[in-house]
Amino acid sequence: MRYETDRREFLKGAAGLAAAACGLAQAPSAEHAKTAPTGSGDAGYGVTWYPFTEHPESDSCWSLSAGPDGRIYAAACAEGVPGGVVKLVRYDERRDALEYLFALDEVVEDPGDSGRATQCKIHYSFVPSMSDGVLYMATHLSGPPIDQPAYSPWHSWHDPERCFRGSALVAFDTGKDKVLWWDTLIPKEGCRCLLIDEERRRLYALSYPRDHFIIYDLDTRRRRDVGRIGSINSQVLFLDRRHRVWTTDDYGHLVRYDPARDRLERSPFVLPHDRRFQTGWHSVFYDAVASPDGQCVYAGTWIARPWLMRIWPHEGDWPRIEDLGPTTQDRDITIPYDTFLDHCGGLVFGGDGCLYYVASRWRDSMYNPLPAGHKEREGVVWRLDPATLERTEVARLERPDHFAQYVSRGAADRNGDLFFGHVGPRPVGIFRVRPPADRRKKDAHLPIRIWG
Amino acid sequence: MRIPGRIRAVAGDSVPYGPSDNAPVRRRRPQRSRTGEGPSTMAKKKYDVNAPGAKALIDEIVHGTFMKEGTMVAFPTCFPGASVPIPADESRITALDITPEGIVYGGTSGRAAHLFVGMFHGVTGVVFDLGAVEGARQCTAVCCGRSRVVACVNDADGGRLVACPLQGLPFDLIQEWGFARSPLDDWGRPAAGEPILHALADASRSKLIGITAGHVFMADLHEGKPQVVGAIEGAGRLAIGPAGGVFGLDGDRHLWRFDPRNGSLERRAVALPAGTWDKAGLRWARDASSGLLYTADAGGNLYAFADERAFAGPLGRVPLAPVGPMAVTHDGRLFGFCGSELARMFCYDPHRKQVRNLGVAVSVFERRRYGYVFGDAVTGRDGEIVFGEDDDLGHVWLYFPRIEPRT
């Protein structure tokens, strides 16, 4: 079976197609904002779907993170609709429901109906600050102006009426539920991903579309542009114990910013990829998570046929890399599959010390002939034991109205539950995956993830 | 929950955006009609993405932004698969020149300044890093003589000239090749403590004429040793006029003229046309067939300089200012970039007397790269335009103009 749906087309038309084409239930109403357990699996993991019913235009949840308070925050983004804006959402464990905190366009005085590109999403850009309870977030672009069907930052760069004002950085006090301040992090550009070095009071970001590496000083509230990396944004930054920031370039090489050298450096080595047909090009990082002991980082790539690897940043001049292989099923490599179908994200460590991630699975007459009645696509929750590198399927993410193969980010909350952000038909939402009791622990969000 | 009002603007140091990055954005208001009789009946409506024409408009926004004519190919600063590119923060290409045989030489700026050679004809396909100039962080000109290439570079002590022999063609870049990096000869400083702003080779390719912050200088392209020929406050770039004179900006309203053949320097030789002239950004392009020079003022107005005495124009206005590097192809069309941060390509067609916006540079062959900032341009052997990308991980960009339909 071929899947030719362009991602933008998918985002645009998915809400209607979901019900029409699949004959499935309509999206739940606001009164049924949480659905009954929807996932499946034999390992005792309960899956619950929480759609963003109070933001029906939301078509993507690109950011999901534990806050410094150990609660789960998610970005209800609306990038496929003219004038769409992002709203901040939090999972309320007492009510077992979502609460809607604010719309970003209102907070940063950049309304969605301005005629500019909108504050439509937060893209891998939640970063918690543990010392003061602040959750920083930075907005991203791509949502069209209200009276246009699409937005291109290249097209409108020099247009003062249309050009995105810039990525807005918001400091939200999670203890007082209060926006403390906001600032423009990157004029005219979006923030693809964000990282905090709390000890040094710095934020690091990648800009889009120009792919510049940005440093923002939280004390002086000044930014510095260190330079351009390439043409394909990496989707994540990570930090090592020596305060070095890591990401990738267009060609699948590690890129490192060392504050001591104040320079972006590139590894000569190409990261693991499928050598049958990939070259390293576009094998930029999609997601990365540090092991709880801080010794290594697990990362996956942002290209169809995503690859998993383990990186030891403190070993050697350039890190030792372990190739952990593909995360999704084998398939026809004569077709340039899209990352919307062939995808892996949501890397998170659970309370049991194991790595969890969500990889897509789909029906393929040759490579994966699923039984009749099985969903065409699904998001599979995998559990990987760092000691043995054995991986086990523990759950499948299912939303009642459509497929759920695409997960952006994952996080563990203070109760040891896992949460995953989803991208799909409107309204999108998040999944909660409750591990068995012996695999949960209190404060499972610690040590806190400090990048989006 | 309380949300405070607007926060103070905090100026960044990298990307200017007008009065305040944090300026509040107004909502769309009802639009006044063109005749001014009052508000029109409709404010901006939410776009219906299913409306007729939506797909065409999306295509225009997404694809029509890039390279509306011709083809760009971005070539890395290496022999792909056989060597690594110049380090990204040392590879901002700010100077280019080309030999009559079509071999391209370039210089970079950034954390270090490198000299390189590029070969794209025959069985070649290579950029070879000829080496970094010790201590230098900026290359402002590369000049090809008959046997040597000379680069003008700046370091903490001002500008100096370095040179090395021109490269011969390699035998074959499949299986059999050999490259060696020779030491760069230091030819000294034309004016102590003064950075070199620009330089060029004269029409005979035997002399180099350059400008520092305070002096015009000349050097023999075979023997070196730059010598000052006059004191002038340097600004902008130099150009060779239709009759072989070298021209540079002389104050706000004039050009000086230097004759390389007899060494005479004429002050205020030519008056600039009315316009706003940006000292730092003065650019030129020369039509090799006719000797005609093109330049642009700070507002993006194009002018022609045909007889070494007076300008013609404005010929037209390019889409954005400032105007960046430009070059003229064999049929007389002028191609260049305009606009800061994220430049757009333009074409001036002298036959149609028309300026066209060609969009943002992108290379889609094998590995996509966007081109945002360019530092220099030369015309290639077959009329292709070679642009040097003045950005981190700068590439050599070859632009193949559209072949105009027969009329």
Side-chain angles (χ1 to χ4, degrees):
Chain A
M1 176 174 289
R2 299 180 65 189
Y3 296 95
E4 296 177 330
T5 307
D6 168 86
R7 179 172 151 265
R8 299 286 155 188
E9 292 295 314
F10 183 94
L11 289 172
K12 187 176 70 175
L17 289 174
C22 304
L24 299 171
Q26 292 288 339
S29 65
E31 299 83 64
H32 298 89
K34 181 195 75 170
T35 66
T38 57
S40 57
D42 301 327
Y45 287 72
V47 179
T48 310
W49 163 241
Y50 300 84
F52 296 144
T53 46
E54 291 185 36
H55 191 12
E57 290 187 333
S58 63
D59 50 30
S60 46
C61 172
W62 295 112
S63 263
L64 179 144
S65 175
D69 52 0
R71 295 185 284 180
I72 294 297
Y73 293 81
C77 314
E79 64 170 314
V81 55
V85 299
V86 56
K87 296 182 179 181
L88 182 66
V89 175
R90 179 167 60 199
Y91 173 66
D92 181 344
E93 62 203 28
R94 290 169 301 172
R95 292 172 46 237
D96 187 23
L98 300 178
E99 55 180 323
Y100 294 77
L101 298 175
F102 52 81
L104 269 290
D105 68 321
E106 295 174 4
V107 167
V108 304
E109 297 185 61
D110 191 0
D113 61 355
S114 70
R116 284 182 177 278
T118 59
Q119 301 285 347
C120 69
K121 60 188 178 183
I122 297 169
H123 209 286
Y124 317 136
S125 298
F126 282 142
V127 292
S129 172
M130 298 302 288
S131 60
D132 52 11
V134 171
L135 179 67
Y136 294 99
M137 60 200 80
T139 59
H140 190 37
L141 62 78
S142 79
I146 192 162
D147 52 348
Q148 271 190 192
Y151 180 71
S152 161
W154 296 275
H155 183 82
S156 299
W157 185 268
H158 298 283
D159 183 343
E161 298 292 321
R162 295 292 191 194
C163 184
F164 186 55
R165 190 184 67 181
S167 171
L169 173 67
V170 175
F172 177 67
D173 186 328
T174 57
K176 297 175 181 172
D177 271 7
K178 175 182 169 186
V179 172
L180 301 177
W181 54 268
W182 66 270
D183 191 13
T184 296
L185 177 66
I186 316 167
K188 301 172 97 167
E189 295 192 79
C191 177
R192 176 68 77 175
C193 50
L194 191 67
L195 176 151
I196 185 169
D197 184 341
E198 195 172 347
E199 195 177 319
R200 303 232 169 143
R201 300 280 299 157
R202 278 180 162 189
L203 298 175
Y204 293 93
L206 290 181
S207 77
Y208 175 85
R210 295 193 305 160
D211 202 22
H212 280 225
F213 184 85
I214 307 293
I215 302 174
Y216 184 89
D217 186 306
L218 284 167
D219 292 327
T220 64
R221 295 193 198 169
R222 293 186 67 86
R223 66 175 164 270
R224 191 158 72 85
D225 185 337
V226 179
R228 179 181 176 187
I229 293 177
S231 293
I232 306 167
N233 267 157
S234 177
Q235 309 289 297
V236 71
L237 300 161
F238 69 82
L239 190 76
D240 70 14
R241 289 200 311 259
R242 290 155 61 181
H243 300 275
R244 298 179 300 181
V245 183
W246 298 81
T247 187
T248 42
D249 71 4
D250 293 359
Y251 312 115
H253 298 251
L254 282 172
V255 172
R256 171 175 72 198
Y257 174 76
D258 185 345
R261 299 181 184 179
D262 192 25
R263 184 178 194 186
L264 287 168
E265 302 169 291
R266 294 167 200 246
S267 163
F269 308 109
V270 182
L271 292 168
H273 54 273
D274 191 328
R275 289 181 293 171
R276 294 177 301 168
F277 68 104
Q278 296 174 338
T279 63
W281 178 78
H282 211 302
S283 287
V284 297
F285 285 149
Y286 180 76
D287 194 6
V289 62
S291 65
D293 63 5
Q295 294 296 324
C296 63
V297 169
Y298 293 76
T301 55
W302 185 44
I303 187 169
R305 190 74 170 157
W307 220 255
L308 191 66
M309 65 198 79
R310 184 160 61 180
I311 301 160
W312 301 83
H314 309 108
E315 294 187 17
D317 180 21
W318 288 103
R320 179 165 65 89
I321 310 282
E322 290 177 276
D323 183 344
L324 304 186
T327 55
T328 56
Q329 69 199 51
D330 203 2
R331 44 85 165 177
D332 183 352
I333 61 173
T334 67
I335 298 172
Y337 275 48
D338 65 79
T339 55
F340 208 73
L341 176 67
D342 190 353
H343 176 75
C344 175
L347 275 62
V348 56
F349 269 88
D352 56 356
C354 287
L355 172 70
Y356 290 85
Y357 60 86
V358 179
S360 60
R361 181 160 61 200
W362 63 96
R363 184 189 302 280
D364 184 297
S365 59
M366 177 171 290
Y367 294 93
N368 193 20
L370 295 169
H374 200 104
K375 281 204 168 186
E376 292 290 310
R377 314 174 192 179
E378 59 194 2
V380 180
V381 183
W382 293 90
R383 175 178 182 263
L384 185 145
D385 184 333
T388 64
L389 296 181
E390 179 187 3
R391 51 189 112 186
T392 312
E393 177 179 336
V394 296
R396 292 196 299 272
L397 304 183
E398 294 181 4
R399 52 182 286 186
D401 57 340
H402 210 267
F403 308 130
Q405 85 279 359
Y406 196 104
V407 157
S408 54
R409 288 294 187 259
D413 76 352
R414 59 190 178 187
N415 301 310
D417 288 330
L418 305 177
F419 291 81
F420 296 102
H422 168 58
V423 178
R426 301 173 197 140
V428 291
I430 64 175
F431 288 97
R432 186 190 68 193
V433 175
R434 173 158 287 168
D438 63 343
R439 292 181 178 179
R440 298 209 320 260
K441 72 171 185 182
K442 283 289 179 191
D443 293 331
H445 64 295
L446 301 176
I448 196 87
R449 175 170 164 149
I450 55 172
W451 53 80
Chain B
M1 185 178 64
R2 180 179 154 267
I3 297 173
R6 189 163 77 85
I7 312 300
R8 66 182 176 84
V10 179
D13 58 357
S14 56
V15 188
Y17 180 72
S20 166
D21 296 340
N22 295 349
V25 176
R26 288 174 298 177
R27 293 179 187 278
R28 280 276 178 192
R29 302 292 185 203
Q31 303 294 298
R32 284 193 171 273
S33 71
R34 287 177 183 274
T35 53
E37 69 271 28
S40 60
T41 54
M42 298 292 287
K44 289 288 179 185
K45 288 201 320 186
K46 190 169 190 169
Y47 193 93
D48 177 3
V49 294
N50 297 312
K55 179 65 166 67
L57 183 52
I58 291 170
D59 287 347
E60 173 58 24
I61 290 171
V62 173
H63 297 285
T65 301
F66 299 97
M67 302 313 310
K68 297 171 192 287
E69 292 179 17
T71 302
M72 274 287 197
V73 178
F75 199 96
T77 56
C78 65
F79 182 0
S83 66
V84 297
I86 295 171
D89 54 3
E90 300 175 1
S91 65
R92 299 163 197 157
I93 301 172
T94 45
L96 290 176
D97 199 6
I98 188 166
T99 68
E101 296 76 29
I103 295 179
V104 177
Y105 286 84
T108 71
S109 301
R111 209 169 261 269
H114 293 244
L115 188 57
F116 67 82
V117 58
M119 304 174 189
F120 309 106
H121 301 299
V123 282
T124 59
V126 64
V127 170
F128 175 54
D129 177 6
L130 294 168
V133 184
E134 187 175 352
R137 300 184 69 138
Q138 184 186 33
C139 180
T140 53
V142 169
C143 305
C144 294
R146 291 177 184 159
S147 62
R148 305 179 77 80
V149 57
V150 180
C152 298
V153 298
N154 293 321
D155 56 30
D157 297 321
R160 61 189 159 118
L161 274 54
V162 295
C164 68
L166 292 175
Q167 295 281 311
L169 281 170
F171 175 67
D172 183 347
L173 294 190
I174 294 288
Q175 184 181 348
E176 296 171 350
W177 65 74
F179 290 93
R181 190 167 290 147
S182 304
L184 299 171
D185 299 328
D186 192 332
W187 281 6
R189 301 180 186 279
E194 293 183 7
I196 299 172
L197 305 184
H198 191 232
L200 46 69
D202 72 350
S204 69
R205 294 197 173 269
S206 60
K207 294 188 178 71
L208 176 152
I209 297 92
I211 181 83
T212 67
H215 295 87
V216 180
F217 68 94
M218 185 167 67
D220 187 298
L221 273 169
H222 308 294
E223 299 173 359
K225 306 300 179 210
Q227 294 181 323
V228 168
V229 297
I232 291 179
E233 184 185 350
R237 289 185 165 229
L238 310 183
I240 301 175
V246 175
F247 291 85
L249 199 58
D250 195 351
D252 295 332
R253 312 298 313 168
H254 293 86
L255 301 176
W256 51 259
R257 181 181 187 278
F258 177 72
D259 188 334
R261 289 161 295 197
N262 59 25
S264 65
L265 177 63
E266 182 183 1
R267 299 293 303 267
R268 299 163 69 95
V270 181
L272 289 166
T276 307
W277 294 92
D278 176 7
K279 282 186 173 182
L282 186 68
R283 295 275 190 167
W284 301 92
R286 187 171 193 268
D287 184 332
S289 301
S290 64
L292 182 75
L293 282 178
Y294 290 99
T295 190
D297 70 7
N301 297 297
L302 287 173
Y303 297 87
F305 185 54
D307 61 3
E308 297 206 354
R309 286 296 149 200
F311 284 86
L315 309 171
R317 189 172 185 181
V318 303
L320 297 164
V323 172
M326 308 179 282
V328 181
T329 190
H330 293 347
D331 67 5
R333 282 177 293 168
L334 171 73
F335 294 93
F337 281 94
C338 59
S340 57
E341 303 169 345
L342 203 155
R344 298 204 177 200
M345 197 174 180
F346 69 87
C347 172
Y348 171 68
D349 186 334
H351 309 298
R352 297 176 179 169
K353 303 187 188 313
Q354 178 188 65
V355 175
R356 294 196 298 276
N357 173 9
L358 303 190
V360 177
V362 65
S363 173
V364 298
F365 295 93
E366 193 174 6
R367 305 189 296 193
R368 182 185 301 182
R369 182 167 177 84
Y370 303 106
Y372 299 141
V373 189
F374 292 88
D376 208 352
V378 292
T379 306
R381 186 190 74 177
D382 301 324
E384 75 274 19
I385 309 295
V386 183
F387 290 101
E389 187 185 4
D390 181 11
D391 206 346
D392 293 324
L393 201 65
H395 284 52
V396 178
W397 290 66
L398 306 179
Y399 175 68
F400 301 91
R402 179 176 72 180
I403 297 169
E404 294 292 330
R406 184 164 30 194
T407 54

